[in-house]
Amino acid sequence: MTRIVHLSDLHFGLHRAALTDALLDCVNRARADLVVVTGDVTHRGRRNQYAQAAAFLARIQAPLMAVPGNHDVPLYNLAVRYLTPFAGYRRTVGPDLTPTRQAGAVRVLGMNSVDPFAVQRGIIREGEIGRVIGGLDPLAMNIVALHHPLEHLAQVDKELTRRAPEALARLERAGAQIVLSGHLHVWATGAMLDQTAHPGVLQIQAGTALCGRPSDRQNEFAVLQIDGTLLTIERHIAPMDEPSFRPPEYEYFSRESGIWVAHQPAETPIVPGATETAFSTA
């Protein structure tokens, strides 16, 4: 049995400072074998925001891996954005933008989906799909972790990542079983499974762990407990008007026949009423 904590969209610089210690306490009490952070550790990629993010990540007691998000490159400093977009991230979070980690019978492979030439929209670069497929372990539960989702719910109004459909189809054929992502600040698991044409891959799209944008309505993170072909997800939620995280909600999935089956009705995703402008939260 392997336990993975999935954090996304911390947004230090626009974060709920009063929730930071509660989040850290919950993460450290989760007894995780690995913590996976799928991007947007900062809000604008600024030095002071990276310092806050690094201080938080350093207090996580479990092994940790992270991939960048679109907010982790500077928005207004165009010279840095286009010439050395990941300098701040490499300096404070880690030099590897596409890390791979093994935790028991689980292998997690990172992808960098950030396009410095776009504000929001992600990109799957040439060669990335093949690189990840080449790293899959046929004896493990293979998880791909990136910031931008490879598929969107119908009600989401942001542009889908470039080459996402190709990536999802090829990863499914190659044997990837789970994709972790963030970016949208909208939790989706069963709802995504209901609409996808790729049920061999369970897409776990995280809400935001710390962003203080009121329209998100809540912060959350998840703990995945993987036991062979069985998956239990603990979803920890802190509504914006409550000081800490509620007791977890549970979701159950199995993949005994090569496709994922949900053992509860699909959740009702909380989609923000309108996408804010590129220069607010993007």
Side-chain angles (χ1 to χ4, degrees), residues 69-142:
N70 57 295
H71 278 262
D72 294 323
V73 298
L75 179 61
Y76 302 107
N77 188 335
L78 298 183
V80 173
R81 181 178 182 88
Y82 297 141
L83 296 177
T84 57
F86 301 107
Y89 182 93
R90 291 181 188 274
R91 183 174 58 249
T92 55
V93 179
D96 192 351
L97 305 181
T98 57
T100 296
R101 299 286 186 273
Q102 191 87 19
V106 176
R107 188 168 178 82
V108 185
L109 303 101
M111 297 180 76
N112 175 16
S113 61
V114 178
D115 182 0
F117 296 94
V119 175
Q120 290 189 14
R121 192 179 188 185
I123 187 170
I124 306 299
R125 292 170 174 79
E126 292 292 334
E128 268 294 277
I129 304 171
R131 179 190 65 79
V132 171
I133 289 174
L136 298 178
D137 181 350
L139 300 179
M141 177 72 77
N142 290 282

Side-chain angles (χ1 to χ4, degrees), residues 29-49:
R29 284 191 289 107
R31 298 175 288 108
D33 298 290
L34 180 67
V35 174
V36 180
V37 184
T38 52
D40 282 2
V41 298
T42 71
H43 188 59
R44 284 289 169 244
R46 293 171 177 157
R47 186 177 293 270
N48 65 319
Q49 295 172 1

Side-chain angles (χ1 to χ4, degrees), residues 253-275:
F253 299 87
S254 63
R255 196 182 184 272
E256 297 176 3
S257 61
I259 63 171
W260 286 99
V261 175
H263 297 283
Q264 65 282 314
E267 73 286 348
T268 301
I270 298 176
V271 179
T275 300

